[in-house]
Amino acid sequence: MKRLLFVIIAAAALYAGYWFVGSNGATAGFERWFEDRRAEGWVAEVEEIKTRGFPSRFDTTLTNIALADPDTGVAYDAPFLQIFALSYKPEHLIAVWPKTQTIGSPFGKADITSDDMRASLIVKKNAVLALEKSNFVTEKLLAKLENGETYGASKALIAIEQTPATQNSYHFGIDLKDVILPQPKGIRLEAGILPKTLEYARGDVTAVFDAPWDLNALQSLRPQPTNVTVKLVEAKWGQLELRLAGAFDVDAQGRANGKITIKAENWRDILTVSAATGAIPQQLVRPIEQGLSLLSGLSGNRNSLDLPLDLVAGQMKLGPIPIGPAPLFRIR
């Protein structure tokens, strides 16, 4: 019995030593990361870093964070950030964000509010902590931009998983509820043309990047997409339903080359919004409606449209009609 008691006490002492070494290592690791960023010319301030959670967890809290990367112009401010890990499974992390935070970029600043924003991350057991899987969830998400535009969702869920094809390939699943977008200029949504929010927006997308997502992606250059496969992106806005599928490559300048098929249900609502916002001149509304009616009739359903969107060197064509530049797919 005495020998068993001695073994138990010794094991407890060894585990306690392991926890204290691990907790000090976690705190020191974050402190070193901030020091390294300052040495690179960043603004990298944190008021306090503490790790608690004995005996089963490493719970690290960073208080009053201010980060700014001079190379990309991206900045971040938050009253705190919490990162939790089980002491016996440190590669499985949980991050918790505050209800208010600010993100800045060369395009402007966004004040973000939310309820219960958190993420679960599983990373590889290596020095750069390469991402294997992550689930992000938040409620009552609202982003207010300096120009007055507002984006948000009553609930947001994003799942990311590294695919078996290559270490730089990731599968994204996105599910947004009650999506808030800036109100189109020149149209009053409350007038009944369309509701103020999208009922949902969902996505099933796989993207290949030129480098893996790991610690290097945060502290140096961000990985850039080289190929995007859209299995399905769909949204519902009133009676209007949009679905997209296809694939495209992305060159070094962020220009897309490929094809996306757009399917629109109740497409006349799109035309109504486009005309009301001035995106389509009133004198063209009738000819366009006649042409789209002819195309929809070919599919057998006059309320449905199937249109190919061609992406060539960063330019978009809807069928044979050029419609302007496509968005650049570059991550700062």
Side-chain angles (χ1 to χ4, degrees):
M1 179 63 74
K2 289 182 178 179
R3 184 174 297 176
L4 178 60
L5 181 61
F6 174 78
V7 170
I8 293 173
I9 292 173
L14 287 172
Y15 184 82
Y18 159 78
W19 186 91
F20 283 108
V21 170
S23 65
N24 289 334
T27 300
F30 282 110
E31 290 173 343
R32 186 165 54 251
W33 189 87
F34 277 85
E35 290 170 1
D36 290 345
R37 300 293 75 72
R38 287 192 288 269
E40 293 175 359
W42 285 42
V43 173
E45 304 297 335
V46 60
E47 183 178 295
E48 184 180 48
I49 303 174
K50 281 191 175 182
T51 301
R52 300 182 177 88
F54 182 82
S56 61
R57 302 191 324 197
F58 297 131
D59 296 349
T60 302
T61 300
L62 298 84
T63 305
N64 291 332
I65 306 164
L67 294 170
D69 180 358
D71 292 333
T72 62
V74 175
Y76 178 74
D77 289 274
F80 71 84
L81 174 64
Q82 294 178 308
I83 299 176
F84 305 144
L86 295 172
S87 57
Y88 55 87
K89 201 174 183 181
E91 73 276 10
H92 189 174
L93 308 174
I94 294 176
V96 177
W97 286 269
K99 291 188 175 182
T100 60
Q101 50 194 313
T102 301
I103 295 178
S105 78
F107 305 105
K109 186 176 72 172
D111 293 322
I112 299 173
T113 60
S114 62
D115 282 355
D116 195 26
M117 180 185 289
R118 61 182 62 223
S120 169
L121 301 92
I122 298 177
V123 297
K124 292 183 183 294
K125 295 180 181 179
N126 56 26
V128 293
L129 303 178
L131 177 66
E132 286 189 350
K133 184 185 295 186
S134 178
N135 289 298
F136 170 90
V137 64
T138 187
E139 296 183 358
K140 297 181 180 178
L141 177 65
L142 205 62
K144 295 184 178 180
L145 279 59
E146 284 183 309
N147 61 8
E149 293 182 348
T150 299
Y151 298 81
S154 65
K155 189 170 185 177
L157 172 64
I158 302 174
I160 306 171
E161 185 172 10
Q162 189 180 48
T163 69
T166 168
Q167 65 174 350
N168 301 342
S169 176
Y170 299 85
H171 177 239
F172 296 81
I174 303 168
D175 190 0
L176 309 177
K177 304 290 187 185
D178 302 320
V179 182
I180 300 171
L181 297 175
Q183 180 169 317
K185 295 179 181 179
I187 185 171
R188 297 184 322 160
L189 298 182
E190 63 271 17
I193 297 176
L194 285 171
K196 292 185 178 181
T197 62
L198 280 68
E199 184 177 328
Y200 61 77
R202 302 171 185 146
D204 184 346
V205 178
T206 299
V208 180
F209 296 86
D210 60 6
W213 282 93
D214 54 27
L215 277 182
N216 292 326
L218 299 179
Q219 57 200 30
S220 57
L221 295 176
R222 252 59 75 194
Q224 299 300 324
T226 59
N227 177 269
V228 177
T229 300
V230 181
K231 183 176 181 180
L232 178 65
V233 169
E234 59 179 348
K236 185 176 182 182
W237 193 10
Q239 297 301 310
L240 170 62
E241 296 183 34
L242 286 175
R243 295 183 180 89
L244 289 79
F248 54 89
D249 294 321
V250 182
D251 65 19
Q253 287 73 46
R255 299 175 303 184
N257 292 275
K259 180 178 289 187
I260 298 292
T261 299
I262 302 174
K263 184 171 184 178
E265 301 287 348
N266 300 311
W267 56 269
R268 287 178 175 81
D269 283 346
I270 302 177
L271 198 59
T272 300
V273 172
S274 299
T277 58
I280 296 176
Q282 285 293 334
Q283 64 269 25
L284 295 181
V285 172
R286 183 60 179 168
I288 290 175
E289 183 176 9
Q290 291 174 338
L292 293 179
S293 294
L294 178 61
L295 290 173
S296 62
L298 295 176
S299 67
N301 183 349
R302 293 193 175 277
N303 289 322
S304 176
L305 275 176
D306 285 284
L307 299 173
L309 179 67
D310 289 308
L311 305 168
V312 181
Q315 298 294 314
M316 296 187 294
K317 292 195 304 180
L318 196 57
I321 305 171
I323 58 175
L328 287 177
F329 292 87
R330 301 293 294 170
I331 302 175
R332 287 186 169 270

